[in-house]
Amino acid sequence: MNAKRQRRGIVAGLMLAGLTACSDPSDELREVTLPVLVNQAEQLDGARVRTQGVVRHFEDPLHYWIEDEDLNRVEIFPHEEIAPHLGETVRVVGNFEYSATEGRRLTLESVEPVAGQ
């Protein structure tokens, strides 16, 4: 009986440790506007964010970004996932990164058109 209780305790401990690991605060989804991403880029580097804007692109070198009416911009990766939405207003979720030399970029988890835009 002791061995059985011991195994249950170990299993419960492992499950609790797994649940704790899954609730990493760095995985918290932050709803932010493009102006906030632009003005607080360094503080938000590495954050998981949701934002929205109009998809635009440039051919040479090929890159895609979303922007608002004030031309606040964030580049979007991977290109093949955002390209079908060119010209649309979209809501994106992903990992935001900022580099003084590379700029602002968001690696997509999801993208969806914003209805009525």
Side-chain angles (χ1 to χ4, degrees):
M1 196 71 163
N2 272 344
K4 192 174 188 178
R5 278 192 182 146
Q6 189 175 14
R7 280 195 301 272
R8 281 188 197 158
I10 290 170
V11 169
L14 289 172
M15 288 174 66
L16 183 59
L19 289 174
T20 303
C22 290
S23 62
D24 181 355
S26 67
D27 286 342
E28 177 186 339
L29 182 60
R30 299 175 74 168
E31 185 88 30
V32 294
T33 62
L34 287 175
V36 169
L37 282 178
V38 168
N39 295 316
Q40 298 178 15
E42 287 185 37
Q43 297 93 316
L44 291 167
D45 183 36
R48 189 169 168 254
V49 301
R50 177 185 297 130
T51 193
Q52 72 179 45
V54 178
V55 179
R56 304 286 188 221
H57 85 299
F58 191 76
E59 288 292 333
D60 191 20
L62 181 62
H63 59 285
Y64 290 83
W65 65 89
I66 58 172
E67 67 183 23
D68 63 14
E69 60 278 351
D70 295 320
L71 302 181
N72 292 298
R73 296 174 173 157
V74 174
E75 190 170 7
I76 304 293
F77 288 94
H79 295 154
E80 57 273 4
E81 288 186 36
I82 197 71
H85 300 282
L86 187 60
E88 295 178 3
T89 299
V90 295
R91 183 172 295 114
V92 294
V93 173
N95 185 55
F96 178 75
E97 297 175 51
Y98 171 74
S99 161
T101 57
E102 300 291 319
R104 298 174 300 272
R105 71 166 43 176
L106 186 131
T107 302
L108 287 174
E109 283 179 28
S110 67
V111 58
E112 64 182 44
V114 175
Q117 297 284 319

